[in-house]
Amino acid sequence: MTASPKTAIILGTGLGQLASEITDTTEIPYKDIPNFPVSTVEGHAGKLIFGKLGGKDIMAMEGRFHFYEGYSMKEVTFPVRVMYELGIKTLFVSNAAGGMNPEFHIGDLMIITDHLNLFPEHPLRGKNIPTGPRFPDMHEPYDHELIAMADQIAEEKGITLRHGVYAGVQGPTFETPAEYRMFRIMGGDAVGMSTVPEVIVARHCGIRVFGVSIITDLGGFDNPVEVSHEEVQQAAATAQPKMTTIMREIIARS
Ligand code: HPA
């Protein structure tokens, strides 16, 4: 069992492949961890994996908790609190998201440079947990140095990366054409139903964050198209080797 990883990874919908690259693993199902919620959505296995990736000790969360599943924000972000207590210093988050930037294509990898918190409840609502201040700074939610490393690695490996703003929404409905248009006007490049609560809590704990969205569908505001969960999972699965490479290399080099 790995003693003290400094790096954690949250694997999003259809993005479990990275888990298979972790060696020397010890797996702990969420159901065996006191107070841990249990994941319900298809495509999320629900376990913590401790092991090695890129030559470093890491822990990975395969399966995350979404607000739309009915969990409270405290439950959604509980695993990040656990990571903090375990001594995690850097968090890698991934998700599947709908592309709204007209230059994006299905299968693109978007490095998250910033986010819009559009959830109806804030994850830090309530008595302040003193890992950080009552009014936390959010001027750099996603670490600039890690983004620069990702760009460098992508260039070396011939991987095309997009940069963009992730709009985090409650779901579980995918967006109407008017909603995609609204989130685009608000400054979003991609929209999804996760990540933002975990990132806010990580930052409140002083954990550095690197985030990646896989663009699994495109907001069809001019030409509305149907979106399904199966399609999202499939597009994520196809694009995930690129994501795995970027994350593994950042971990190996940092
Ligand atoms: N909207 C919201 N969440 C998503 C989408 C989308 O288009 N694609 C994958 N997750």
Side-chain angles (χ1 to χ4, degrees), residues 128-177:
N128 187 46
I129 298 174
T131 55
R134 171 72 292 187
F135 302 106
D137 170 70
M138 274 288 149
H139 88 283
E140 190 180 343
Y142 300 88
D143 191 88
H144 286 173
E145 282 180 21
L146 296 174
I147 293 172
M149 274 176 90
D151 285 336
Q152 172 73 31
I153 291 160
E155 196 175 318
E156 286 171 25
K157 305 274 180 193
I159 295 171
T160 302
L161 286 185
R162 308 290 191 172
H163 281 198
V165 173
Y166 177 87
V169 299
Q170 166 170 218
T173 43
F174 291 113
E175 286 63 38
T176 65

mmCIF file of all heavy atoms in Angstrom, residues 128-177:
data_model
loop_
_atom_site.group_PDB
_atom_site.id
_atom_site.type_symbol
_atom_site.label_atom_id
_atom_site.label_comp_id
_atom_site.label_asym_id
_atom_site.label_seq_id
_atom_site.Cartn_x
_atom_site.Cartn_y
_atom_site.Cartn_z
ATOM 1 N N ASN A 128 -17.613 27.804 7.986
ATOM 2 C CA ASN A 128 -16.344 27.632 7.272
ATOM 3 C C ASN A 128 -15.496 26.537 7.904
ATOM 4 O O ASN A 128 -15.282 26.522 9.114
ATOM 5 C CB ASN A 128 -15.561 28.948 7.269
ATOM 6 C CG ASN A 128 -14.327 28.862 6.395
ATOM 7 O OD1 ASN A 128 -14.410 28.369 5.259
ATOM 8 N ND2 ASN A 128 -13.194 29.299 6.899
ATOM 9 N N ILE A 129 -15.045 25.612 7.059
ATOM 10 C CA ILE A 129 -14.097 24.585 7.527
ATOM 11 C C ILE A 129 -12.710 25.221 7.412
ATOM 12 O O ILE A 129 -12.341 25.698 6.330
ATOM 13 C CB ILE A 129 -14.217 23.290 6.676
ATOM 14 C CG1 ILE A 129 -15.634 22.710 6.829
ATOM 15 C CG2 ILE A 129 -13.154 22.270 7.087
ATOM 16 C CD1 ILE A 129 -15.939 21.511 5.942
ATOM 17 N N PRO A 130 -11.944 25.280 8.517
ATOM 18 C CA PRO A 130 -10.756 26.149 8.497
ATOM 19 C C PRO A 130 -9.540 25.597 7.748
ATOM 20 O O PRO A 130 -8.405 25.809 8.168
ATOM 21 C CB PRO A 130 -10.467 26.360 9.992
ATOM 22 C CG PRO A 130 -11.042 25.171 10.658
ATOM 23 C CD PRO A 130 -12.192 24.685 9.830
ATOM 24 N N THR A 131 -9.756 24.945 6.608
ATOM 25 C CA THR A 131 -8.629 24.629 5.726
ATOM 26 C C THR A 131 -8.284 25.859 4.904
ATOM 27 O O THR A 131 -7.242 25.920 4.255
ATOM 28 C CB THR A 131 -8.982 23.491 4.752
ATOM 29 O OG1 THR A 131 -10.172 23.851 4.032
ATOM 30 C CG2 THR A 131 -9.225 22.189 5.488
ATOM 31 N N GLY A 132 -9.203 26.826 4.875
ATOM 32 C CA GLY A 132 -9.005 28.054 4.112
ATOM 33 C C GLY A 132 -9.897 29.128 4.685
ATOM 34 O O GLY A 132 -10.684 28.867 5.597
ATOM 35 N N PRO A 133 -9.790 30.356 4.142
ATOM 36 C CA PRO A 133 -10.560 31.466 4.692
ATOM 37 C C PRO A 133 -12.055 31.398 4.345
ATOM 38 O O PRO A 133 -12.453 30.639 3.459
ATOM 39 C CB PRO A 133 -9.919 32.696 4.043
ATOM 40 C CG PRO A 133 -9.306 32.184 2.785
ATOM 41 C CD PRO A 133 -8.917 30.762 3.038
ATOM 42 N N ARG A 134 -12.843 32.162 5.037
ATOM 43 C CA ARG A 134 -14.289 32.256 4.768
ATOM 44 C C ARG A 134 -14.557 32.693 3.325
ATOM 45 O O ARG A 134 -15.475 32.214 2.667
ATOM 46 C CB ARG A 134 -14.906 33.266 5.754
ATOM 47 C CG ARG A 134 -16.349 33.679 5.523
ATOM 48 C CD ARG A 134 -17.379 32.622 5.831
ATOM 49 N NE ARG A 134 -17.402 31.456 4.967
ATOM 50 C CZ ARG A 134 -18.327 30.507 5.012
ATOM 51 N NH1 ARG A 134 -19.305 30.570 5.886
ATOM 52 N NH2 ARG A 134 -18.280 29.474 4.205
ATOM 53 N N PHE A 135 -13.734 33.628 2.848
ATOM 54 C CA PHE A 135 -13.928 34.165 1.492
ATOM 55 C C PHE A 135 -12.693 33.842 0.654
ATOM 56 O O PHE A 135 -11.804 34.686 0.492
ATOM 57 C CB PHE A 135 -14.177 35.681 1.556
ATOM 58 C CG PHE A 135 -15.377 36.035 2.414
ATOM 59 C CD1 PHE A 135 -15.209 36.595 3.671
ATOM 60 C CD2 PHE A 135 -16.669 35.785 1.961
ATOM 61 C CE1 PHE A 135 -16.312 36.900 4.463
ATOM 62 C CE2 PHE A 135 -17.771 36.086 2.745
ATOM 63 C CZ PHE A 135 -17.599 36.637 3.999
ATOM 64 N N PRO A 136 -12.626 32.646 0.112
ATOM 65 C CA PRO A 136 -11.387 32.231 -0.560
ATOM 66 C C PRO A 136 -11.144 32.963 -1.882
ATOM 67 O O PRO A 136 -12.077 33.224 -2.626
ATOM 68 C CB PRO A 136 -11.613 30.734 -0.839
ATOM 69 C CG PRO A 136 -12.843 30.361 -0.097
ATOM 70 C CD PRO A 136 -13.641 31.603 0.115
ATOM 71 N N ASP A 137 -9.879 33.235 -2.110
ATOM 72 C CA ASP A 137 -9.446 33.812 -3.388
ATOM 73 C C ASP A 137 -9.666 32.795 -4.508
ATOM 74 O O ASP A 137 -9.536 31.599 -4.287
ATOM 75 C CB ASP A 137 -7.954 34.144 -3.295
ATOM 76 C CG ASP A 137 -7.378 34.509 -4.648
ATOM 77 O OD1 ASP A 137 -7.722 35.587 -5.144
ATOM 78 O OD2 ASP A 137 -6.633 33.689 -5.236
ATOM 79 N N MET A 138 -10.043 33.259 -5.675
ATOM 80 C CA MET A 138 -10.247 32.337 -6.804
ATOM 81 C C MET A 138 -9.599 32.900 -8.072
ATOM 82 O O MET A 138 -10.084 32.663 -9.174
ATOM 83 C CB MET A 138 -11.755 32.130 -7.051
ATOM 84 C CG MET A 138 -12.383 31.051 -6.206
ATOM 85 S SD MET A 138 -11.886 29.390 -6.730
ATOM 86 C CE MET A 138 -11.942 28.562 -5.163
ATOM 87 N N HIS A 139 -8.508 33.668 -7.896
ATOM 88 C CA HIS A 139 -7.960 34.314 -9.094
ATOM 89 C C HIS A 139 -7.212 33.334 -9.997
ATOM 90 O O HIS A 139 -7.011 33.609 -11.167
ATOM 91 C CB HIS A 139 -7.081 35.519 -8.717
ATOM 92 C CG HIS A 139 -5.651 35.173 -8.462
ATOM 93 N ND1 HIS A 139 -5.238 34.584 -7.283
ATOM 94 C CD2 HIS A 139 -4.548 35.312 -9.233
ATOM 95 C CE1 HIS A 139 -3.933 34.385 -7.348
ATOM 96 N NE2 HIS A 139 -3.497 34.803 -8.515
ATOM 97 N N GLU A 140 -6.809 32.175 -9.428
ATOM 98 C CA GLU A 140 -6.124 31.172 -10.272
ATOM 99 C C GLU A 140 -6.612 29.777 -9.875
ATOM 100 O O GLU A 140 -5.867 28.997 -9.298
ATOM 101 C CB GLU A 140 -4.600 31.283 -10.109
ATOM 102 C CG GLU A 140 -3.840 30.452 -11.130
ATOM 103 C CD GLU A 140 -2.314 30.555 -10.984
ATOM 104 O OE1 GLU A 140 -1.822 31.484 -10.333
ATOM 105 O OE2 GLU A 140 -1.639 29.671 -11.537
ATOM 106 N N PRO A 141 -7.874 29.462 -10.218
ATOM 107 C CA PRO A 141 -8.391 28.150 -9.807
ATOM 108 C C PRO A 141 -7.605 26.997 -10.435
ATOM 109 O O PRO A 141 -7.443 25.947 -9.811
ATOM 110 C CB PRO A 141 -9.850 28.173 -10.291
ATOM 111 C CG PRO A 141 -9.933 29.280 -11.287
ATOM 112 C CD PRO A 141 -8.868 30.260 -10.929
ATOM 113 N N TYR A 142 -7.113 27.202 -11.652
ATOM 114 C CA TYR A 142 -6.379 26.145 -12.371
ATOM 115 C C TYR A 142 -4.935 26.626 -12.519
ATOM 116 O O TYR A 142 -4.689 27.706 -13.054
ATOM 117 C CB TYR A 142 -7.044 25.859 -13.725
ATOM 118 C CG TYR A 142 -8.481 25.407 -13.509
ATOM 119 C CD1 TYR A 142 -9.522 26.339 -13.416
ATOM 120 C CD2 TYR A 142 -8.782 24.062 -13.306
ATOM 121 C CE1 TYR A 142 -10.826 25.938 -13.146
ATOM 122 C CE2 TYR A 142 -10.088 23.655 -13.034
ATOM 123 C CZ TYR A 142 -11.102 24.600 -12.959
ATOM 124 O OH TYR A 142 -12.379 24.199 -12.674
ATOM 125 N N ASP A 143 -4.010 25.813 -12.055
ATOM 126 C CA ASP A 143 -2.616 26.211 -11.889
ATOM 127 C C ASP A 143 -1.920 26.513 -13.224
ATOM 128 O O ASP A 143 -1.843 25.650 -14.107
ATOM 129 C CB ASP A 143 -1.880 25.076 -11.160
ATOM 130 C CG ASP A 143 -0.517 25.503 -10.715
ATOM 131 O OD1 ASP A 143 -0.413 26.051 -9.612
ATOM 132 O OD2 ASP A 143 0.454 25.310 -11.491
ATOM 133 N N HIS A 144 -1.403 27.728 -13.338
ATOM 134 C CA HIS A 144 -0.779 28.161 -14.592
ATOM 135 C C HIS A 144 0.454 27.346 -14.959
ATOM 136 O O HIS A 144 0.688 27.066 -16.130
ATOM 137 C CB HIS A 144 -0.425 29.650 -14.523
ATOM 138 C CG HIS A 144 -1.632 30.532 -14.630
ATOM 139 N ND1 HIS A 144 -1.593 31.888 -14.465
ATOM 140 C CD2 HIS A 144 -2.917 30.226 -14.887
ATOM 141 C CE1 HIS A 144 -2.813 32.382 -14.620
ATOM 142 N NE2 HIS A 144 -3.639 31.386 -14.866
ATOM 143 N N GLU A 145 1.231 26.954 -13.953
ATOM 144 C CA GLU A 145 2.449 26.178 -14.252
ATOM 145 C C GLU A 145 2.091 24.808 -14.823
ATOM 146 O O GLU A 145 2.742 24.320 -15.745
ATOM 147 C CB GLU A 145 3.279 25.978 -12.979
ATOM 148 C CG GLU A 145 4.076 27.178 -12.596
ATOM 149 C CD GLU A 145 4.879 26.938 -11.327
ATOM 150 O OE1 GLU A 145 5.130 25.764 -10.980
ATOM 151 O OE2 GLU A 145 5.251 27.942 -10.687
ATOM 152 N N LEU A 146 1.047 24.189 -14.275
ATOM 153 C CA LEU A 146 0.642 22.871 -14.770
ATOM 154 C C LEU A 146 0.063 22.992 -16.185
ATOM 155 O O LEU A 146 0.288 22.121 -17.035
ATOM 156 C CB LEU A 146 -0.366 22.220 -13.817
ATOM 157 C CG LEU A 146 0.186 21.903 -12.411
ATOM 158 C CD1 LEU A 146 -0.926 21.407 -11.493
ATOM 159 C CD2 LEU A 146 1.310 20.865 -12.482
ATOM 160 N N ILE A 147 -0.645 24.087 -16.447
ATOM 161 C CA ILE A 147 -1.180 24.311 -17.798
ATOM 162 C C ILE A 147 -0.016 24.479 -18.788
ATOM 163 O O ILE A 147 -0.029 23.898 -19.880
ATOM 164 C CB ILE A 147 -2.121 25.537 -17.829
ATOM 165 C CG1 ILE A 147 -3.389 25.249 -17.003
ATOM 166 C CG2 ILE A 147 -2.484 25.922 -19.270
ATOM 167 C CD1 ILE A 147 -4.315 26.444 -16.789
ATOM 168 N N ALA A 148 0.999 25.229 -18.383
ATOM 169 C CA ALA A 148 2.167 25.426 -19.258
ATOM 170 C C ALA A 148 2.874 24.094 -19.523
ATOM 171 O O ALA A 148 3.314 23.827 -20.654
ATOM 172 C CB ALA A 148 3.133 26.428 -18.630
ATOM 173 N N MET A 149 2.963 23.248 -18.494
ATOM 174 C CA MET A 149 3.578 21.924 -18.689
ATOM 175 C C MET A 149 2.763 21.097 -19.665
ATOM 176 O O MET A 149 3.313 20.407 -20.531
ATOM 177 C CB MET A 149 3.633 21.164 -17.353
ATOM 178 C CG MET A 149 4.848 21.478 -16.543
ATOM 179 S SD MET A 149 4.743 20.630 -14.955
ATOM 180 C CE MET A 149 5.524 19.104 -15.365
ATOM 181 N N ALA A 150 1.441 21.148 -19.546
ATOM 182 C CA ALA A 150 0.566 20.388 -20.449
ATOM 183 C C ALA A 150 0.784 20.847 -21.893
ATOM 184 O O ALA A 150 0.880 20.022 -22.817
ATOM 185 C CB ALA A 150 -0.897 20.572 -20.043
ATOM 186 N N ASP A 151 0.904 22.149 -22.087
ATOM 187 C CA ASP A 151 1.119 22.678 -23.440
ATOM 188 C C ASP A 151 2.444 22.181 -24.018
ATOM 189 O O ASP A 151 2.530 21.808 -25.194
ATOM 190 C CB ASP A 151 1.100 24.214 -23.415
ATOM 191 C CG ASP A 151 -0.310 24.762 -23.255
ATOM 192 O OD1 ASP A 151 -1.276 24.048 -23.604
ATOM 193 O OD2 ASP A 151 -0.457 25.903 -22.769
ATOM 194 N N GLN A 152 3.457 22.176 -23.164
ATOM 195 C CA GLN A 152 4.786 21.709 -23.578
ATOM 196 C C GLN A 152 4.738 20.219 -23.979
ATOM 197 O O GLN A 152 5.251 19.828 -25.030
ATOM 198 C CB GLN A 152 5.741 21.928 -22.387
ATOM 199 C CG GLN A 152 7.111 21.330 -22.539
ATOM 200 C CD GLN A 152 7.953 22.118 -23.540
ATOM 201 O OE1 GLN A 152 7.773 23.327 -23.672
ATOM 202 N NE2 GLN A 152 8.827 21.428 -24.250
ATOM 203 N N ILE A 153 4.106 19.426 -23.136
ATOM 204 C CA ILE A 153 4.008 17.982 -23.387
ATOM 205 C C ILE A 153 3.208 17.724 -24.663
ATOM 206 O O ILE A 153 3.580 16.888 -25.488
ATOM 207 C CB ILE A 153 3.362 17.276 -22.164
ATOM 208 C CG1 ILE A 153 4.322 17.317 -20.969
ATOM 209 C CG2 ILE A 153 2.971 15.831 -22.492
ATOM 210 C CD1 ILE A 153 3.654 17.098 -19.625
ATOM 211 N N ALA A 154 2.120 18.460 -24.819
ATOM 212 C CA ALA A 154 1.267 18.281 -26.004
ATOM 213 C C ALA A 154 2.061 18.576 -27.271
ATOM 214 O O ALA A 154 1.955 17.858 -28.269
ATOM 215 C CB ALA A 154 0.047 19.188 -25.904
ATOM 216 N N GLU A 155 2.887 19.622 -27.205
ATOM 217 C CA GLU A 155 3.691 19.979 -28.371
ATOM 218 C C GLU A 155 4.686 18.859 -28.695
ATOM 219 O O GLU A 155 4.817 18.439 -29.844
ATOM 220 C CB GLU A 155 4.417 21.299 -28.101
ATOM 221 C CG GLU A 155 4.941 21.938 -29.370
ATOM 222 C CD GLU A 155 5.551 23.305 -29.101
ATOM 223 O OE1 GLU A 155 4.971 24.083 -28.305
ATOM 224 O OE2 GLU A 155 6.623 23.563 -29.673
ATOM 225 N N GLU A 156 5.341 18.360 -27.664
ATOM 226 C CA GLU A 156 6.319 17.272 -27.865
ATOM 227 C C GLU A 156 5.669 16.019 -28.443
ATOM 228 O O GLU A 156 6.255 15.315 -29.251
ATOM 229 C CB GLU A 156 6.949 16.883 -26.520
ATOM 230 C CG GLU A 156 7.939 17.873 -25.982
ATOM 231 C CD GLU A 156 8.346 17.523 -24.546
ATOM 232 O OE1 GLU A 156 8.257 16.328 -24.149
ATOM 233 O OE2 GLU A 156 8.735 18.444 -23.835
ATOM 234 N N LYS A 157 4.464 15.736 -27.987
ATOM 235 C CA LYS A 157 3.803 14.478 -28.361
ATOM 236 C C LYS A 157 2.885 14.631 -29.581
ATOM 237 O O LYS A 157 2.218 13.671 -29.981
ATOM 238 C CB LYS A 157 2.959 13.956 -27.182
ATOM 239 C CG LYS A 157 3.719 13.787 -25.885
ATOM 240 C CD LYS A 157 4.391 12.430 -25.806
ATOM 241 C CE LYS A 157 5.147 12.281 -24.503
ATOM 242 N NZ LYS A 157 6.051 11.127 -24.509
ATOM 243 N N GLY A 158 2.787 15.837 -30.114
ATOM 244 C CA GLY A 158 1.922 16.065 -31.266
ATOM 245 C C GLY A 158 0.437 15.944 -30.943
ATOM 246 O O GLY A 158 -0.362 15.525 -31.780
ATOM 247 N N ILE A 159 0.086 16.321 -29.722
ATOM 248 C CA ILE A 159 -1.321 16.291 -29.313
ATOM 249 C C ILE A 159 -1.887 17.712 -29.383
ATOM 250 O O ILE A 159 -1.270 18.650 -28.881
ATOM 251 C CB ILE A 159 -1.469 15.742 -27.864
ATOM 252 C CG1 ILE A 159 -1.027 14.273 -27.797
ATOM 253 C CG2 ILE A 159 -2.897 15.906 -27.338
ATOM 254 C CD1 ILE A 159 -0.938 13.696 -26.384
ATOM 255 N N THR A 160 -3.038 17.855 -30.017
ATOM 256 C CA THR A 160 -3.671 19.174 -30.082
ATOM 257 C C THR A 160 -4.481 19.404 -28.810
ATOM 258 O O THR A 160 -5.311 18.570 -28.445
ATOM 259 C CB THR A 160 -4.606 19.264 -31.305
ATOM 260 O OG1 THR A 160 -3.833 18.997 -32.474
ATOM 261 C CG2 THR A 160 -5.258 20.632 -31.408
ATOM 262 N N LEU A 161 -4.223 20.521 -28.165
ATOM 263 C CA LEU A 161 -4.973 20.869 -26.955
ATOM 264 C C LEU A 161 -5.761 22.140 -27.187
ATOM 265 O O LEU A 161 -5.276 23.074 -27.817
ATOM 266 C CB LEU A 161 -4.020 21.142 -25.784
ATOM 267 C CG LEU A 161 -3.306 20.006 -25.078
ATOM 268 C CD1 LEU A 161 -2.543 20.562 -23.887
ATOM 269 C CD2 LEU A 161 -4.284 18.940 -24.638
ATOM 270 N N ARG A 162 -6.969 22.163 -26.669
ATOM 271 C CA ARG A 162 -7.739 23.411 -26.614
ATOM 272 C C ARG A 162 -7.587 23.972 -25.213
ATOM 273 O O ARG A 162 -7.322 23.218 -24.263
ATOM 274 C CB ARG A 162 -9.221 23.119 -26.860
ATOM 275 C CG ARG A 162 -9.500 22.312 -28.104
ATOM 276 C CD ARG A 162 -9.226 23.109 -29.321
ATOM 277 N NE ARG A 162 -9.722 22.456 -30.528
ATOM 278 C CZ ARG A 162 -9.731 23.043 -31.711
ATOM 279 N NH1 ARG A 162 -9.268 24.272 -31.853
ATOM 280 N NH2 ARG A 162 -10.181 22.419 -32.768
ATOM 281 N N HIS A 163 -7.802 25.265 -25.068
ATOM 282 C CA HIS A 163 -7.916 25.876 -23.754
ATOM 283 C C HIS A 163 -9.321 26.425 -23.645
ATOM 284 O O HIS A 163 -9.869 26.888 -24.639
ATOM 285 C CB HIS A 163 -6.941 27.052 -23.608
ATOM 286 C CG HIS A 163 -5.538 26.642 -23.322
ATOM 287 N ND1 HIS A 163 -4.609 27.499 -22.804
ATOM 288 C CD2 HIS A 163 -4.898 25.460 -23.491
ATOM 289 C CE1 HIS A 163 -3.447 26.876 -22.655
ATOM 290 N NE2 HIS A 163 -3.604 25.627 -23.080
ATOM 291 N N GLY A 164 -9.906 26.406 -22.450
ATOM 292 C CA GLY A 164 -11.226 27.013 -22.363
ATOM 293 C C GLY A 164 -11.808 27.057 -20.971
ATOM 294 O O GLY A 164 -11.265 26.510 -20.009
ATOM 295 N N VAL A 165 -12.937 27.741 -20.904
ATOM 296 C CA VAL A 165 -13.670 27.943 -19.655
ATOM 297 C C VAL A 165 -14.766 26.881 -19.553
ATOM 298 O O VAL A 165 -15.542 26.688 -20.504
ATOM 299 C CB VAL A 165 -14.301 29.358 -19.625
ATOM 300 C CG1 VAL A 165 -15.220 29.532 -18.417
ATOM 301 C CG2 VAL A 165 -13.210 30.426 -19.648
ATOM 302 N N TYR A 166 -14.783 26.200 -18.406
ATOM 303 C CA TYR A 166 -15.767 25.133 -18.155
ATOM 304 C C TYR A 166 -16.943 25.724 -17.377
ATOM 305 O O TYR A 166 -16.757 26.276 -16.288
ATOM 306 C CB TYR A 166 -15.091 24.031 -17.349
ATOM 307 C CG TYR A 166 -15.979 22.872 -16.936
ATOM 308 C CD1 TYR A 166 -16.173 21.782 -17.778
ATOM 309 C CD2 TYR A 166 -16.594 22.847 -15.688
ATOM 310 C CE1 TYR A 166 -16.969 20.700 -17.388
ATOM 311 C CE2 TYR A 166 -17.383 21.775 -15.288
ATOM 312 C CZ TYR A 166 -17.569 20.706 -16.148
ATOM 313 O OH TYR A 166 -18.350 19.646 -15.765
ATOM 314 N N ALA A 167 -18.128 25.607 -17.931
ATOM 315 C CA ALA A 167 -19.338 26.043 -17.233
ATOM 316 C C ALA A 167 -19.906 24.827 -16.503
ATOM 317 O O ALA A 167 -20.288 23.838 -17.127
ATOM 318 C CB ALA A 167 -20.347 26.600 -18.228
ATOM 319 N N GLY A 168 -19.936 24.900 -15.180
ATOM 320 C CA GLY A 168 -20.417 23.771 -14.373
ATOM 321 C C GLY A 168 -21.874 23.973 -14.012
ATOM 322 O O GLY A 168 -22.229 24.977 -13.377
ATOM 323 N N VAL A 169 -22.708 23.040 -14.436
ATOM 324 C CA VAL A 169 -24.156 23.144 -14.204
ATOM 325 C C VAL A 169 -24.665 21.903 -13.469
ATOM 326 O O VAL A 169 -23.990 20.878 -13.399
ATOM 327 C CB VAL A 169 -24.934 23.319 -15.530
ATOM 328 C CG1 VAL A 169 -24.498 24.592 -16.244
ATOM 329 C CG2 VAL A 169 -24.745 22.104 -16.444
ATOM 330 N N GLN A 170 -25.871 22.015 -12.959
ATOM 331 C CA GLN A 170 -26.446 20.932 -12.165
ATOM 332 C C GLN A 170 -26.809 19.686 -12.978
ATOM 333 O O GLN A 170 -26.609 18.575 -12.513
ATOM 334 C CB GLN A 170 -27.687 21.500 -11.463
ATOM 335 C CG GLN A 170 -28.590 20.456 -10.861
ATOM 336 C CD GLN A 170 -29.666 21.067 -9.966
ATOM 337 O OE1 GLN A 170 -30.007 20.514 -8.952
ATOM 338 N NE2 GLN A 170 -30.193 22.203 -10.356
ATOM 339 N N GLY A 171 -27.340 19.860 -14.203
ATOM 340 C CA GLY A 171 -27.921 18.719 -14.908
ATOM 341 C C GLY A 171 -29.169 18.255 -14.181
ATOM 342 O O GLY A 171 -29.676 18.972 -13.305
ATOM 343 N N PRO A 172 -29.671 17.047 -14.415
ATOM 344 C CA PRO A 172 -29.138 16.032 -15.330
ATOM 345 C C PRO A 172 -29.584 16.198 -16.788
ATOM 346 O O PRO A 172 -29.186 15.405 -17.626
ATOM 347 C CB PRO A 172 -29.707 14.731 -14.755
ATOM 348 C CG PRO A 172 -31.047 15.136 -14.216
ATOM 349 C CD PRO A 172 -30.856 16.534 -13.690
ATOM 350 N N THR A 173 -30.418 17.175 -17.088
ATOM 351 C CA THR A 173 -30.754 17.368 -18.509
ATOM 352 C C THR A 173 -29.532 17.918 -19.230
ATOM 353 O O THR A 173 -28.804 18.753 -18.684
ATOM 354 C CB THR A 173 -31.901 18.397 -18.675
ATOM 355 O OG1 THR A 173 -31.658 19.501 -17.778
ATOM 356 C CG2 THR A 173 -33.256 17.787 -18.402
ATOM 357 N N PHE A 174 -29.301 17.461 -20.452
ATOM 358 C CA PHE A 174 -28.380 18.167 -21.329
ATOM 359 C C PHE A 174 -29.053 19.499 -21.672
ATOM 360 O O PHE A 174 -30.254 19.684 -21.388
ATOM 361 C CB PHE A 174 -28.081 17.345 -22.584
ATOM 362 C CG PHE A 174 -27.267 16.095 -22.303
ATOM 363 C CD1 PHE A 174 -27.822 14.828 -22.475
ATOM 364 C CD2 PHE A 174 -25.954 16.187 -21.864
ATOM 365 C CE1 PHE A 174 -27.071 13.680 -22.209
ATOM 366 C CE2 PHE A 174 -25.199 15.042 -21.599
ATOM 367 C CZ PHE A 174 -25.762 13.787 -21.767
ATOM 368 N N GLU A 175 -28.325 20.414 -22.282
ATOM 369 C CA GLU A 175 -28.841 21.758 -22.468
ATOM 370 C C GLU A 175 -29.813 21.863 -23.641
ATOM 371 O O GLU A 175 -29.676 21.163 -24.649
ATOM 372 C CB GLU A 175 -27.673 22.738 -22.701
ATOM 373 C CG GLU A 175 -26.888 23.040 -21.443
ATOM 374 C CD GLU A 175 -26.191 21.827 -20.836
ATOM 375 O OE1 GLU A 175 -25.693 20.991 -21.611
ATOM 376 O OE2 GLU A 175 -26.161 21.719 -19.594
ATOM 377 N N THR A 176 -30.748 22.779 -23.488
ATOM 378 C CA THR A 176 -31.579 23.158 -24.634
ATOM 379 C C THR A 176 -30.713 24.040 -25.539
ATOM 380 O O THR A 176 -29.689 24.583 -25.079
ATOM 381 C CB THR A 176 -32.806 23.982 -24.196
ATOM 382 O OG1 THR A 176 -32.330 25.230 -23.644
ATOM 383 C CG2 THR A 176 -33.647 23.240 -23.153
ATOM 384 N N PRO A 177 -31.098 24.210 -26.789
ATOM 385 C CA PRO A 177 -30.308 25.108 -27.659
ATOM 386 C C PRO A 177 -30.141 26.500 -27.048
ATOM 387 O O PRO A 177 -29.058 27.081 -27.095
ATOM 388 C CB PRO A 177 -31.133 25.151 -28.951
ATOM 389 C CG PRO A 177 -31.822 23.815 -28.981
ATOM 390 C CD PRO A 177 -32.164 23.525 -27.538
#
